[in-house]
Amino acid sequence: MTQVSKLRRPTTPKQAAARCGPVDKFLDPSLFKAFSDPTRASLIACIAKCGRGCSVGEVAECCSVDFSVVSRHLALLARSGVLEATKEGRTVFYRVRYAELCKSLRSLADALEECCPEKGAACNGKCC
Amino acid sequence: MTQVSKLRRPTTPKQAAARCGPVDKFLDPSLFKAFSDPTRASLIACIAKCGRGCSVGEVAECCSVDFSVVSRHLALLARSGVLEATKEGRTVFYRVRYAELCKSLRSLADALEECCPEKGAACNGKCC
DNA sequence: ACAATGCTTGCACCATGACGCAAGTAAGCA
DNA sequence: TGCTTACTTGCGTCATGGTGCAAGCATTGT
């Protein structure tokens, strides 16, 4: 098993990139950073479950951290495209961007699957 | 528009949780933390594109960080369930757990969509 | 004009984590 | 028994980021 890379690497990275879809495109760290914090995850879950726009104050009731922390997290989530903010008077409503979010998640899943289609002819038994 | 919470909150959080699927279950921060770092994202993309198990050394060639850093990242990714490690002699091969990963991503998308079915009768026009 | 409400922002603190270097471990080879 | 290869781990450093408090800003009501 010497020269492992020669024996086990039939494709160059460039060839692999051509064979697969643009996985990189959907592996956006800034998007997933939004989900990587437990507090943010609970905020997202809170708003998602409500199924409508929620004010900062309402969301703050759902978790134990400071009001200002919630405000900052929601602003971050809006910047990263997970939430959408609409202002009515002095109240800001944040709602989940369901369609865009689901599309991003499914696009990544599709791109990954394209790299290794478990039922595909080219891959079957060879890699996964 | 006084008493906003009364007017705009027809469901309690508990009722909302019952109406929706268990979004929390699929919003696992430890999973998404794996994708939240640019270096890790490029490592995942590298292995995913190859479509087979890659050794630590091979993956290290794909990015500019130290070998030890790559080793640590891959170990972390294996712990969080994104990759799977198999040892052959003194070489460790990491491969993407395509099926499990895609399932997690799609489950989250499904759970989110269940919270706000854009074409659903109960939600249409009311929330999103 | 003044006060109250809803949210944002500045500041300081502290924990986490990403990184590189160097030493350590384990497997194969001479 | 060494020596090389492939990887892991300990350690110190530095940057990022999550948190709470307090002050600031914008909007609404009196």
Side-chain angles (χ1 to χ4, degrees):
Chain A
M1 180 84 77
T2 48
Q3 290 188 318
V4 172
S5 60
K6 291 275 171 56
L7 286 173
R8 299 184 59 106
R9 196 176 225 177
T11 55
T12 66
K14 189 165 282 187
Q15 288 175 325
R19 182 175 58 82
C20 303
V23 206
D24 313 74
K25 187 184 168 187
F26 304 111
L27 266 177
D28 177 26
S30 67
L31 172 64
F32 294 105
K33 192 166 260 181
F35 294 92
S36 67
D37 180 69
T39 304
R40 275 198 294 273
S42 69
L43 297 181
I44 296 169
C46 174
I47 301 178
K49 284 179 185 172
C50 283
R52 54 166 180 81
C54 294
S55 71
V56 181
E58 285 175 333
V59 182
E61 291 174 9
C62 292
C63 66
S64 57
V65 296
D66 194 76
F67 188 89
S68 67
V69 173
V70 174
S71 172
R72 256 187 283 254
H73 276 311
L74 294 180
L76 186 151
L77 289 169
R79 277 198 302 275
S80 59
V82 174
L83 302 180
E84 188 180 16
T86 48
K87 195 170 184 180
E88 295 180 15
R90 54 191 167 190
T91 307
V92 178
F93 291 99
Y94 285 96
R95 67 170 197 86
V96 176
R97 299 182 70 205
Y98 294 98
E100 296 81 359
L101 207 48
C102 292
K103 193 182 172 190
S104 295
L105 294 169
R106 294 207 175 100
S107 296
L108 176 56
D110 292 344
L112 283 169
E113 220 162 45
E114 199 183 336
C115 287
C116 182
E118 284 196 332
K119 288 160 191 167
C123 165
N124 207 1
K126 228 173 61 182
C127 50
C128 47
Chain B
M1 182 82 79
T2 50
Q3 289 190 320
V4 172
S5 60
K6 290 275 172 56
L7 286 174
R8 297 184 59 105
R9 196 177 225 174
T11 55
T12 67
K14 189 166 283 186
Q15 287 174 327
R19 180 175 59 79
C20 304
V23 205
D24 313 74
K25 187 183 168 189
F26 302 111
L27 267 176
D28 179 27
S30 67
L31 171 65
F32 294 106
K33 193 166 260 181
F35 294 92
S36 68
D37 181 69
T39 305
R40 274 198 295 273
S42 69
L43 297 181
I44 296 169
C46 173
I47 302 177
K49 284 179 186 172
C50 283
R52 53 166 181 80
C54 294
S55 70
V56 181
E58 285 175 334
V59 182
E61 291 173 10
C62 293
C63 66
S64 57
V65 296
D66 194 76
F67 188 88
S68 67
V69 173
V70 174
S71 172
R72 255 188 284 255
H73 275 310
L74 295 180
L76 185 150
L77 289 169
R79 278 198 304 276
S80 60
V82 174
L83 302 179
E84 187 179 17
T86 48
K87 195 170 185 181
E88 293 179 17
R90 54 191 167 185
T91 307
V92 178
F93 290 98
Y94 285 96
R95 68 168 198 86
V96 176
R97 299 182 69 206
Y98 295 97
E100 297 80 0
L101 208 49
C102 292
K103 193 182 170 190
S104 295
L105 294 170
R106 294 205 174 100
S107 295
L108 175 56
D110 292 343
L112 283 170
E113 220 162 45
E114 200 183 337
C115 287
C116 183
E118 284 195 334
K119 290 160 190 167
C123 166
N124 206 0
K126 228 172 65 184
C127 49
C128 47

